[in-house]
Amino acid sequence: MLTENIVFSAVQPSNNLTIGNYIGAIKIWVDIQNIYKCIYSIADLHAITNNYYNNLKTLSLNTLALYLACDINPETNIICLQSEIVEHSQLHWILSCFVNWNKLKHMTQFKNKYSKQGSLLNKVTVGLFTYPILMASDILLYQTNYVPVGYDQKQHLEFSRKIARNFNKKYGNIFTIPQPIIPKIGKITSLLNPIRKMSKSDINSNNYISLLDKPELVIKKINNAITDSNNPPIVKYDIKNKPGISNLLNILSVLTNISIVNLEKDLNNINYIQFKKIVSNEINNTLFKIQKKYFSIRNKEKYLNSILINGNKRAKIIARNTLNKVYRVIGIK
Ligand code: AMP
Ligand code: TRP
């Protein structure tokens, strides 16, 4: 049954989606799309906090086609492009003047990227620093009740909730306080460094499985994934001591819908080569369906653009309404 509760989420089109995006976000978007009123955005303005691209529109269309290929329904949900709804940038500015900069310093994602880029390239932008304010604007503009995101975004969501609460305390009931929906499995980790998050912007593509990877490449990447040197080998979930095996078990569990405990029982007595073969088979089954649909729609650009034009129009009405309320209470309007 469709409720009036609103869901909002987004992915940055910085590259094609990974199996981490699928498990941490998109699969849940699909699961809840018939229950809530869902707005799924392509966060192209967030993508440029790291880099300017010469093909961002193409990457955004790839992302849209991947949403559809993963079974996001463009008829019932609103699918929109962040940069086309100017209210995101406008609320971002207003909230930038409301949030104390000291609070932003403690955001983990900024600190991680800063320590990576700051030391190497001295390439940290103000946009990367204020990124969580733009994310809060995305969410609060739509009076969002629920935000399905991966575990890595939990802190940003907490930050959005805090802004909404403080703003409401000062100006009355302007924003709905959003709640996260976070998958139980935590995060999917990098294949060669299973302590770190799997990321589609990783410079080494062997660290992630893209939803568009060919079957042979998936087999190769999974075969090279770091495991451990337990002798005899044991397929057992133990994040601390066996992060590589635990990561592959997480992926397998979500894709097969079999609990980790049952997988451990079923996979007793097999070696890592056999285990990896099972994992890559299962990934390839999932990717086969996604890729079939993706390649049947990706070159229909007129169709893809029409989905965005329609979604942007519907999203803008809601966003404008909230922004007008904000303008009124702060005395601009
Ligand atoms: P991003 O790739 O940063 O645009 O993330 C888009 C969505 O996918 C967000 O909800 C993230 O939390 C989620 N996500 C990204 N990488 C992972 C991962 N390795 N494991 C689980 N969820 C992820
Ligand atoms: N920052 C999110 C990420 O990197 C993407 C995103 C942008 C988002 N705006 C959002 C997610 C609003 C949820 C809600 O994963």
Side-chain angles (χ1 to χ4, degrees):
M1 193 198 64
L2 194 67
T3 75
E4 269 314 295
N5 279 331
I6 294 182
V7 163
F8 181 92
S9 197
V11 170
Q12 301 180 57
S14 44
N15 199 350
N16 294 324
L17 307 186
T18 68
I19 196 90
N21 294 127
Y22 180 72
I23 290 174
I26 312 294
K27 198 166 179 300
I28 293 145
W29 298 9
V30 173
D31 291 343
I32 61 179
Q33 65 181 343
N34 295 323
I35 306 174
Y36 304 114
K37 189 172 166 188
C38 300
I39 305 170
Y40 295 134
S41 173
I42 299 164
D44 53 351
L45 296 179
H46 274 103
I48 63 169
T49 52
N50 264 334
N51 257 318
Y52 284 135
Y53 299 77
N54 55 12
N55 61 343
L56 195 52
K57 182 67 202 284
T58 302
L59 288 170
S60 293
L61 290 180
N62 292 355
T63 303
L64 167 62
L66 279 170
Y67 286 181
L68 304 184
C70 292
D71 284 339
I72 298 290
N73 185 336
E75 311 286 331
T76 50
N77 305 299
I78 295 180
I79 306 183
C80 48
L81 185 64
Q82 187 186 29
S83 60
E84 286 290 324
I85 302 152
V86 292
E87 285 75 6
H88 291 250
S89 310
Q90 293 172 312
L91 184 60
H92 171 251
W93 179 253
I94 303 291
L95 295 180
S96 299
C97 300
F98 183 75
V99 172
N100 189 305
W101 76 274
N102 203 25
K103 297 271 187 297
L104 279 169
K105 278 197 315 202
H106 306 295
M107 296 284 117
T108 316
Q109 181 171 301
F110 173 75
K111 285 198 286 191
N112 288 346
K113 289 195 180 172
Y114 175 78
S115 60
K116 247 196 271 164
Q117 298 181 345
S119 55
L120 285 175
L121 302 164
N122 197 19
K123 196 179 151 246
V124 179
T125 64
V126 176
L128 184 63
F129 185 61
T130 63
Y131 173 119
I133 303 182
L134 182 59
M135 181 160 161
S137 308
D138 296 344
I139 296 168
L140 301 181
L141 271 177
Y142 298 99
Q143 305 295 346
T144 302
N145 301 92
Y146 300 110
V147 185
V149 277
Y151 187 78
D152 61 305
Q153 295 300 313
K154 189 167 179 255
Q155 193 188 35
H156 288 157
L157 207 73
E158 204 38 63
F159 182 71
S160 305
R161 284 163 60 81
K162 223 176 262 166
I163 296 180
R165 270 195 239 107
N166 289 344
F167 200 90
N168 285 355
K169 213 187 278 167
K170 189 152 182 202
Y171 295 109
N173 249 345
I174 304 298
F175 296 126
T176 302
I177 312 292
Q179 289 179 51
I181 299 180
I182 293 176
K184 280 194 273 340
I185 53 111
K187 62 174 188 249
I188 300 303
T189 57
S190 152
L191 298 176
L192 299 178
N193 184 355
I195 310 288
R196 275 191 9 223
K197 183 186 85 153
M198 179 185 284
S199 166
K200 59 175 143 46
S201 50
D202 199 311
I203 39 174
N204 183 353
S205 62
N206 290 317
N207 274 321
Y208 58 78
I209 303 282
S210 159
L211 295 187
L212 297 182
D213 279 347
K214 298 231 159 48
E216 316 77 66
L217 188 57
V218 171
I219 293 169
K220 189 171 146 230
K221 286 182 179 179
I222 294 294
N223 276 345
N224 289 337
I226 297 290
T227 51
D228 52 64
S229 46
N230 285 179
N231 196 359
I234 170 157
V235 176
K236 188 168 159 292
Y237 194 84
D238 178 350
I239 281 282
K240 196 155 169 258
N241 300 307
K242 296 168 72 68
I245 290 293
S246 304
N247 190 39
L248 297 180
L249 270 170
N250 267 334
I251 295 175
L252 191 60
S253 169
V254 173
L255 298 186
T256 56
N257 228 345
I258 301 174
S259 70
I260 301 267
V261 179
N262 283 339
L263 283 177
E264 283 173 339
K265 276 189 216 144
D266 294 349
L267 302 174
N268 193 11
N269 274 332
I270 64 169
N271 64 36
Y272 292 164
I273 296 174
Q274 292 164 312
F275 175 51
K276 285 175 163 180
K277 198 165 167 204
I278 294 171
V279 175
S280 39
N281 257 340
E282 204 52 51
I283 295 176
N284 278 332
N285 284 341
T286 302
L287 297 198
F288 176 77
K289 291 179 218 138
I290 294 174
Q291 291 177 13
K292 191 164 170 233
K293 195 159 171 198
Y294 177 85
F295 289 111
S296 75
I297 52 174
R298 178 59 189 90
N299 58 1
K300 297 185 177 144
E301 295 220 344
K302 232 175 160 180
Y303 166 65
L304 296 176
N305 277 312
S306 73
I307 290 175
L308 290 181
I309 291 169
N310 178 35
N312 294 343
K313 213 189 300 168
R314 290 166 66 198
K316 194 179 168 72
I317 295 171
I318 312 171
R320 193 75 224 171
N321 194 25
T322 302
L323 189 71
N324 279 341
K325 272 193 200 161
V326 171
Y327 276 2
R328 265 184 238 114
V329 293
I330 65 167
I332 285 187
K333 229 182 163 98

